[in-house]
Amino acid sequence: MVIIMQTGAADSEVEAVIEAVEKAGFRPWINPGVERKVIALLGAVDAEKAELVDHFSALPGVERVTLISEPYKLASRRTHPEHSQIQVGPVSIGGRELAIIAGPCSIENREQMLEAAQAVKEAGANLLRGGAFKPRTSPYSFQGLGVSGLELLAEAGRLTGLPTVTEILHPADLKTIAEYVDVIQVGARNMQNFRLLQEVGQIGKPVILKRNPGCRIQDLLMASEYIMLEGNSNVVLCERGITSFENATRYTLDLNAIPVIKRFSHLPIIADPSHAAGDWRYVTAVALGAVAAGADGVMVEVHPDPPTALSDGPQSLRPEKFQDLMGSMARVAAAVGRHIGTLAEQA
Ligand code: PEP
Ligand code: MN
C-alpha cells in the first residue's frame, strides 16, 4: 500500500500519517519525491486490507491511497514514480547520460589493468570495471587476484579519474572492497544470496545487481528489495542474458526486460552484452539494441589482448573495437534522446 500525499502537504500532516502507519503495525518508508511525498507501508501483503485504505485516505493532507499488487514495494514505480538516478562520482546513472562501464573481466596484472583503463577512458567510458574475486565454474580456473587486484583497480581509477566497479562474492570481503571501489557488483550467481544482499544493503555504496540467468524479472526486483529494505536505495539493475534453448550464444539477452523494468520499477537498468553474447563478434549489435531499447547504460568487457585473458577472453573487445562501439552507441543514444560523453561522439 502507498499513501500519496497532496502537493504541499504540511510536515505535520506527513508526520501524523507516519504515526498512523506505525500504529497500524506497518513500517513506513518515505519517498521525499520531487512533487509530493509518498509513504509506502512495508509489511505482509495479505495485511493490505480495504478498510485501511479508507482509514488512511481520510487523514489530512492525503491525496490518495493505492494498493501495490506487486510483491516488491520499494523497487516499485508506485512507491517512487520518478526515475531514480544513482550518483557515482560525476556520473548519474539513470539520467540522460548513459553509464558506460568498461574494463577487463578479471584484473590480471598492473600492466593489463592500466592499459585497459587508459583505453576505455580514451574511448569515452565513464566507469571502470575489473574483477578481483571471480566466480568461476571450475575451482581450478583463475580465481582473481583478491585484495592486490583491488589495489590495481583503485590505482587505475585514480590515474584515469574513472569511478570503479568490482564484484563481491562473500560478505566477509565487503569492508575491504568498499574501501577500494566506488560501486559494488553483485553478480548473476549471487542474485539470490539474500544474506549478501542484506549486507550490501547496509552500506551506502551504489550496487549493480545482475540478473541471474535462471530468474524472472520479478525475482530480480525482489532481490533489489532486499538491498533497499536495509536502507540502501542506490541499486542499478543489470540484464546480462538468461538461459534459453539457444546455444549459438552463451546466454540470451532478454531485451524485453528493459522496457518491462522501466514500466514497473524506478530503478535504473543497464545491459551487459558481453556475458549475454559470450562472443565479441556479437557484442556491438547487442549493446546497440540495448541502448535503443532504453537501457540506462551498458557494461562491456574490454581487454588489451583478449586471447591471453585469464577469463572471458572470447567475449572481450579489443580497445579499437570498443572505440568503434562507443561511436555507434553515441549515435543510437542520440536517436533515443540519450547521450554519451563528448569523446565518444567524436569517435
Ligand atoms: C562479470 O561481470 O565478470 C560476471 C561474472 O558477470 P555475471 O555475474 O553476469 O556472470
Ligand atoms: Mn566476465
Side-chain angles (χ1 to χ4, degrees):
M1 187 183 294
V2 284
I3 302 171
I4 298 139
M5 300 300 293
Q6 291 164 0
T7 311
D11 287 349
S12 59
E13 290 173 331
V14 176
E15 275 159 31
V17 170
I18 292 169
E19 229 170 78
V21 167
E22 284 168 344
K23 221 170 134 198
F26 293 92
R27 184 174 145 195
W29 188 86
I30 301 112
N31 168 25
V34 184
E35 265 197 36
R36 48 172 74 90
K37 289 194 169 68
V38 177
I39 300 159
L41 276 65
L42 306 179
V45 180
D46 58 8
E48 290 193 344
K49 299 271 165 49
E51 65 262 28
L52 279 174
V53 174
D54 294 340
H55 172 63
F56 293 125
S57 301
L59 295 174
V62 172
E63 186 176 291
R64 72 195 134 90
V65 178
T66 47
L67 296 176
I68 306 184
S69 45
E70 300 90 25
Y72 47 87
K73 313 291 175 193
L74 302 182
S76 170
R77 204 172 260 293
R78 293 182 211 258
T79 305
H80 194 291
E82 321 85 30
H83 294 298
S84 273
Q85 295 198 22
I86 313 298
Q87 199 67 36
V88 184
V91 191
S92 184
I93 306 178
R96 196 168 96 83
E97 188 76 25
L98 295 184
I100 309 295
I101 306 164
C105 178
S106 296
I107 303 153
E108 298 169 7
N109 55 62
R110 188 163 184 270
E111 196 190 0
Q112 172 251 13
M113 189 63 233
L114 296 189
E115 207 178 318
Q118 203 53 49
V120 302
K121 161 85 182 186
E122 275 169 23
N126 43 23
L127 289 126
L128 178 64
R129 66 153 282 153
F133 298 94
K134 294 305 301 176
R136 305 306 300 278
T137 302
S138 166
Y140 306 115
S141 299
F142 177 60
Q143 301 287 308
L145 296 180
V147 178
S148 55
L150 297 177
E151 282 166 4
L152 296 177
L153 179 61
E155 183 185 356
R158 272 195 309 277
L159 289 173
T160 54
L162 296 177
T164 53
V165 182
T166 207
E167 179 170 354
I168 183 164
L169 295 189
H170 196 283
D173 300 322
L174 180 59
K175 257 189 147 169
T176 312
I177 289 177
E179 275 169 29
Y180 285 99
V181 303
D182 302 292
V183 181
I184 295 176
Q185 174 177 323
V186 175
R189 290 155 193 81
N190 274 310
M191 188 199 94
Q192 288 188 315
N193 182 342
F194 301 116
R195 286 293 299 130
L196 181 63
L197 299 177
Q198 286 170 329
E199 293 282 338
V200 298
Q202 282 167 19
I203 60 164
K205 293 246 170 188
V207 178
I208 292 176
L209 176 63
K210 298 184 89 172
R211 179 182 180 185
N212 179 280
C215 284
R216 296 203 166 96
I217 293 168
Q218 180 165 302
D219 302 325
L220 173 64
L221 293 170
M222 291 311 292
S224 76
E225 195 83 5
Y226 269 91
I227 300 172
M228 296 177 80
L229 197 52
E230 295 298 316
N232 187 355
S233 301
N234 300 310
V235 181
V236 176
L237 305 172
C238 180
E239 163 58 40
R240 46 76 75 209
I242 57 174
T243 309
S244 78
F245 57 80
E246 184 53 69
N247 64 2
T249 51
R250 190 174 176 188
Y251 295 95
T252 298
L253 189 93
D254 182 9
L255 202 60
N256 297 334
I258 297 166
V260 171
I261 286 171
K262 286 266 165 238
R263 176 179 169 201
F264 289 105
S265 178
H266 55 90
L267 296 173
I269 166 82
I270 63 168
D272 173 348
S274 304
H275 290 88
D279 184 322
W280 65 269
R281 294 170 190 84
Y282 312 132
V283 168
T284 295
V286 177
L288 296 180
V291 171
D296 294 302
V298 292
M299 174 182 275
V300 181
E301 287 185 339
V302 178
H303 194 287
D305 185 27
T308 64
L310 297 180
S311 63
D312 287 348
Q315 68 196 34
S316 298
L317 293 185
R318 291 182 183 278
E320 316 84 77
K321 285 271 173 233
F322 178 65
Q323 190 147 10
D324 291 347
L325 168 62
M326 288 297 285
S328 305
M329 274 198 299
R331 288 188 286 280
V332 174
V336 293
R338 307 297 284 271
H339 185 260
I340 292 183
T342 42
L343 280 170
E345 271 174 351
Q346 291 156 10

